[in-house]
Amino acid sequence: MNTATDTDSLTSHEITYRIGELSSEFDVTLRTLRFYEDKGLLSPRRIGNTRLYSRADRARLKLILLGKRVGLSLLDVKEILDLYNASGDNLRQLTVALEKGEEQMQILQQQRKDIEEAIGELDQTILSLRDQIAKTGE
């Protein structure tokens, strides 16, 4: 459930989110959100000590976590996010995202192949060890 906060202190009536709300919604720590802020990935407004995240910050966080989940570096994610232009067609952003996505897909497919080979080798080794133990126990 979204617990967006309307903050009267803001001049506009846009929906904002407090750090704890985003932390709970996306199951990340407060430290993680502050880290992303330090890296320039998120830029919440501050009212006193309170961080207020916009809808755009929330969307950026969702993309950051997706990038992290698929193995993109934070630098790659930042590059993609920084190309966003609210008034443009964002063709450059989409092109860069596609290129990085395709590169990461190749990396993940190679990793899957390597893991499948390692599993096969380990499976054979386990069978061989079980066989040796069975013969020793006879």
Side-chain angles (χ1 to χ4, degrees):
M1 184 169 135
N2 186 356
T3 58
T5 305
D6 248 338
T7 305
D8 296 332
S9 305
L10 297 174
T11 55
S12 69
H13 290 283
E14 80 176 62
I15 294 174
T16 58
Y17 306 85
R18 295 180 186 269
I19 192 169
E21 293 170 332
L22 286 185
S23 170
S24 295
E25 181 180 352
F26 290 98
D27 195 26
V28 296
T29 64
L30 301 179
R31 183 177 180 177
T32 296
L33 293 173
R34 289 189 293 265
F35 176 79
Y36 292 153
E37 182 182 350
D38 289 342
K39 296 296 179 189
L41 293 162
L42 298 174
S43 52
R45 274 184 273 174
R46 300 239 187 168
I47 296 179
N49 288 333
T50 304
R51 288 174 168 87
L52 296 176
Y53 296 86
S54 66
R55 283 182 166 168
D57 287 318
R58 184 183 174 280
R60 286 174 71 95
L61 177 59
K62 195 172 185 175
L63 292 171
I64 292 164
L65 296 174
L66 171 63
K68 179 181 169 191
R69 191 168 48 253
V70 300
L72 292 177
S73 71
L74 286 181
L75 269 159
D76 285 342
V77 171
K78 184 172 181 1
E79 179 183 350
I80 293 167
L81 292 174
D82 287 349
L83 290 170
Y84 177 74
N85 179 355
S87 61
D89 66 6
N90 293 302
L91 183 59
R92 179 74 181 129
Q93 182 193 36
L94 296 171
T95 301
V96 169
L98 176 61
E99 290 168 359
K100 293 192 180 297
E102 288 173 339
E103 289 170 11
Q104 189 60 24
M105 179 65 81
Q106 288 178 351
I107 290 168
L108 291 173
Q109 287 174 337
Q110 183 60 50
Q111 287 175 343
R112 178 171 56 192
K113 182 181 173 217
D114 294 344
I115 289 170
E116 288 171 357
E117 288 175 6
I119 288 171
E121 290 173 13
L122 184 56
D123 193 36
Q124 288 300 315
T125 301
I126 289 170
L127 288 173
S128 176
L129 291 169
R130 285 184 177 151
D131 190 42
Q132 288 178 13
I133 289 171
K135 286 180 181 175
T136 304
E138 291 179 356

